[in-house]
Amino acid sequence: MPLADLPGSTTGPDAAVVRVLSYNVRSMRDDREALARVIRACAPDVVCVQEAPRFFRWRKAAAWLARETGLVYTTGGATAAGPMILTSLRAQVEHAEDTLLPRAPGLHQRGFATAVLRFGGGHRDTGGPGNGNGIRLGVVSCHLSLAEAERYEQAGMLLDHLAALDVPYAIAAGDINDRPEGRAFRRIAGKLRDGWATEPWGSEATWTPGNPHQRIDAVFVSEGVEIIGCGVPAGLPGVADADLAAATDHLPVLAALRLPRVSPV
């Protein structure tokens, strides 16, 4: 699929197309303007951020990023130990929460930023009967441990957390700190579908920008979500290689997902 063919966001009577971006921003310690340009060019509806600012004036930094990218802060940051979710005005936020995970002594605190969103509901909805409440989507932004055993356990917690949202469609996106052949990555991919492995688009490797050779960041989706394309937006019009290199030490993962409307029971 040519990069320019990744569809834009739409809401119709039968389905919504939602663009999801996963991005480790390294506490916004690098070129913030380049970071904002990359996110804007990807035109996401949902951004699952990892390593959002967590310390002094972290809320101000999160507000700056949301403002400069035309998005809205939804949840996360310091309250989730780094993961954060930003959304476009298309997304109606039904529920948001932050969860801190059990921490092994001597290791970093980890957490999940979670939101249940609706697309195509309310006055924006143009669908038929039963569509007035929109299409519900659960989203979890995560950043798993560097330690192999803890990372594997957190992968299981992620799956349990996502299942407990009780939504028709769900997404887990983030820095897995594991390659596709790793135990934690395989544990998640055993229950959810790996976006790149299902419908590869763009480039694959996400770390590091100067020498991309590992895929440790991913977007996973539940059954029923149609993956139109997923990958690193290298070569996407408006996303400059220089900006990708300057923005942070990870490359982003962009996915276009089609969410069919669920018929009311």
Side-chain angles (χ1 to χ4, degrees):
M1 176 187 294
L3 291 183
D5 286 352
L6 197 68
S9 306
T10 59
T11 303
D14 300 320
V17 173
V18 176
R19 291 166 69 99
V20 176
L21 185 69
S22 182
Y23 209 175
N24 183 320
V25 302
R26 195 159 72 158
S27 298
M28 295 170 58
R29 296 199 305 265
D30 300 291
D31 188 333
R32 291 189 176 194
E33 299 293 344
L35 177 66
R37 285 194 294 270
V38 171
I39 295 175
R40 285 197 305 268
C42 290
D45 297 296
V46 181
V47 183
C48 291
V49 175
Q50 300 85 49
E51 290 194 37
R54 295 185 294 128
F55 301 110
F56 184 64
R57 294 184 176 176
W58 71 269
R59 294 184 187 276
K60 183 176 181 180
W64 181 92
L65 187 60
R67 183 178 65 252
E68 293 299 312
T69 56
L71 299 169
V72 177
Y73 168 83
T74 298
T75 196
T79 48
M84 183 172 73
I85 297 175
L86 304 177
T87 54
S88 73
L89 293 177
R90 288 187 70 219
Q92 301 170 58
V93 181
E94 176 184 309
H95 173 74
E97 66 178 83
D98 300 322
T99 304
L100 296 178
L101 303 181
R103 180 168 62 122
L107 298 178
H108 291 297
Q109 178 72 65
R110 303 285 176 172
F112 300 146
T114 305
V116 176
L117 310 172
R118 291 180 184 264
F119 291 89
H123 68 279
R124 298 187 183 92
D125 189 62
T126 58
N131 290 336
N133 290 329
I135 302 170
R136 299 175 73 228
L137 173 67
V139 178
V140 178
S141 177
C142 63
H143 186 186
L144 304 190
S145 176
L146 288 167
E148 197 275 339
E150 185 180 50
R151 181 168 63 244
Y152 182 77
E153 293 302 316
Q154 289 172 352
M157 295 175 197
L158 174 64
L159 293 171
D160 291 342
H161 186 75
L162 210 61
L165 295 179
D166 191 26
V167 290
Y169 304 119
I171 298 170
D175 180 350
I176 310 304
N177 266 325
D178 206 8
R179 300 180 185 184
E181 64 271 18
R183 286 206 311 148
F185 200 111
R186 287 188 289 112
R187 186 173 192 177
I188 300 169
K191 294 291 186 180
L192 304 172
R193 285 176 300 138
D194 175 4
W196 165 263
T198 305
E199 290 292 339
W201 166 93
S203 301
E204 179 180 8
T206 62
W207 192 81
T208 59
N211 178 29
H213 61 285
Q214 297 186 55
R215 182 161 74 95
I216 62 174
D217 304 83
V219 175
F220 298 94
V221 306
S222 64
E223 289 299 323
V225 177
E226 178 186 341
I227 304 168
I228 301 171
C230 179
V232 175
L236 183 68
V239 180
D241 290 344
D243 283 343
L244 288 170
T248 177
D249 66 341
H250 283 244
L251 294 172
V253 180
L254 177 63
L257 309 173
R258 184 178 183 272
L259 312 176
R261 289 191 183 271
V262 178
S263 300
V265 178

